[in-house]
Amino acid sequence: MSLYSKATPAPGAAAFKGRHLLDLKDLTPAEVLQILAAAAEWKDRGSDPGLPQPLRGKTLGMIFTKSSTRTRVSFQAAVNQLGGQAIFLGTGELQLGRGETIADTARVLSRYLDGILIRTYDQREVEELAAHATIPIINGLTDQSHPTQALADLQTIHERFGRWQGLRLAYVGDGNNVAVSLMEAAAKVGMDFAAATPPGYEPDPARVASARADAAALGGRVTVCRDPFEAVREASVVYTDVWVSMGQEAEREARLRAFAPYQVNEALMAAARPDAIFMHCLPAHRGEEVAAAVIDGPRSAVFDQAENRLHVYKAILSLFV
Ligand code: CP
Ligand code: NVA
């Protein structure tokens, strides 16, 4: 099924080449659709050895200062399947760790590589890398956002429901990096987004305001409330993420107390639409943010979500790099 409405002209692939992918707010709605249409095409093609090889002769650097299973492995597999090579650069493997500046690192790596995927703590580091690089920089998660995850999540929702407009996505729990990018992604496709968070854990208010403006242009709504049951009412998608993100381990006890009423369990799922699906970016903690009966139950879409990372990353790599 086409991801396009007749009113939405697709931008040409050339519109992406060489650009950074730092945040969803930097993409137009038509560009989001273009990436997702390409992802659907890559998914249809599978992983046959006869795939087109748009990355032939190209090398992606992968800077990771945090752990990763899905992002690292699916990006690396995508690079390999598209004919390119990836160089993994973990903590301690670059002179960055010994005081070389991000700006110099960007200038030097731009002479060797064709693109860089980076996962780190501070979003400003990603922005500084991008400011000094002459190759595309892709944000593979920071403390503030996780845009490539949200693109794969949009693909999963469209596969299940055949549309985004008129659907409500309820995000329950921590208004963290995953929540912010999901909110921005929902706004770009006109899907209603409702977050329920404890006090002090709301998504960044400036980003909520900007997502609201994007959503309004497409007839969508962005709301933030306290009550998980209010958020999931009429929801087609119930989404949660960990209560303790990477780098927040010292806050674990306080967070477990604050989020205890926000577990996605069967009682909460029963308050959503009867055909509602459960989504989680993974890794998950059964018994904390989600009950095992939900994530391992028939409404769970979490492994389709994880798979779609591979297809969306092929789209991103073939368009941007
Ligand atoms: N969801 C996600 O980004 O998973 P990883 O941390 O394993 O990459
Ligand atoms: N919010 C989580 C997402 C992991 C993919 C974290 O930042 O640790």
Side-chain angles (χ1 to χ4, degrees):
M1 178 186 309
S2 168
L3 294 176
Y4 292 99
S5 72
K6 288 194 179 70
T8 312
F16 296 98
K17 204 53 85 184
R19 274 171 59 185
H20 304 309
L21 178 44
L22 304 188
D23 257 324
L24 280 161
K25 60 182 165 45
D26 305 332
L27 296 171
T28 66
E31 288 170 342
V32 169
L33 295 184
Q34 171 87 352
I35 294 167
L36 294 174
E41 280 175 30
W42 283 113
K43 186 166 188 172
D44 283 347
R45 287 181 169 131
S47 55
D48 295 343
L51 277 187
Q53 303 281 280
L55 291 196
R56 190 194 301 279
K58 294 190 175 178
T59 307
L60 183 78
M62 299 173 55
I63 302 177
F64 278 66
T65 67
K66 286 174 166 174
S67 305
S68 172
T69 297
R70 280 143 290 270
T71 310
R72 176 193 174 169
V73 177
S74 57
F75 254 108
Q76 190 149 356
V79 170
N80 293 346
Q81 290 177 25
L82 299 187
Q85 306 233 344
I87 301 177
F88 183 76
L89 300 161
T91 304
E93 293 190 52
L94 291 170
Q95 296 282 12
L96 262 176
R98 296 182 57 254
E100 185 165 19
T101 66
I102 293 175
D104 284 355
T105 304
R107 293 180 185 113
V108 170
L109 293 183
S110 295
R111 305 282 179 113
Y112 308 141
L113 301 171
D114 299 286
I116 296 174
L117 169 69
I118 175 166
R119 166 172 288 197
T120 191
Y121 291 89
D122 191 337
Q123 178 111 1
R124 286 171 301 186
E125 292 172 4
V126 177
E127 286 164 7
E128 194 178 350
L129 191 71
H132 297 280
T134 56
I135 55 174
I137 305 299
I138 302 166
N139 173 0
L141 179 146
T142 67
D143 288 351
Q144 284 77 47
S145 63
H146 196 4
T148 67
Q149 170 78 51
L151 288 168
D153 295 341
L154 287 184
Q155 181 179 12
T156 307
I157 294 166
H158 200 278
E159 285 172 353
R160 295 290 179 124
F161 296 100
R163 63 196 168 99
W164 296 290
Q165 281 173 323
L167 298 182
R168 177 179 175 97
L169 186 160
Y171 179 94
V172 176
D174 189 10
N176 61 14
N177 44 8
V178 168
V180 161
S181 288
L182 205 52
M183 169 182 74
E184 292 177 349
K188 293 287 179 187
V189 296
M191 180 168 55
D192 286 349
F193 177 91
T197 75
Y201 295 100
E202 302 85 358
D204 176 352
R207 295 181 83 138
V208 172
S210 135
R212 268 193 189 130
D214 278 347
L218 291 170
R221 270 163 46 89
V222 172
T223 52
V224 180
C225 67
R226 295 273 169 258
D227 180 0
F229 285 89
E230 181 185 331
V232 305
R233 194 178 307 132
E234 287 304 312
S236 296
V237 180
V238 179
Y239 198 123
T240 193
D241 183 20
V242 291
W243 291 342
V244 184
S245 284
M246 291 179 276
Q248 298 171 337
E249 290 75 12
E251 301 168 28
R252 179 171 171 79
E253 294 312 316
R255 285 177 163 268
L256 292 193
R257 276 195 302 278
F259 288 114
Y262 290 81
Q263 185 188 73
V264 178
N265 49 33
E266 286 173 301
L268 191 63
M269 287 303 292
R273 286 181 58 86
D275 62 347
I277 59 170
F278 170 74
M279 295 180 71
H280 190 309
C281 60
L282 303 179
H285 294 83
R286 289 166 176 78
E288 291 185 15
E289 75 275 7
V290 61
V294 172
I295 192 167
D296 298 322
R299 303 166 89 176
S300 175
V302 299
F303 298 112
D304 286 347
Q305 275 181 267
E307 178 189 329
N308 283 338
R309 311 288 296 279
L310 177 68
H311 308 303
V312 160
Y313 295 166
K314 284 182 182 167
I316 291 170
L317 289 163
S318 61
L319 288 167
F320 287 77
V321 176

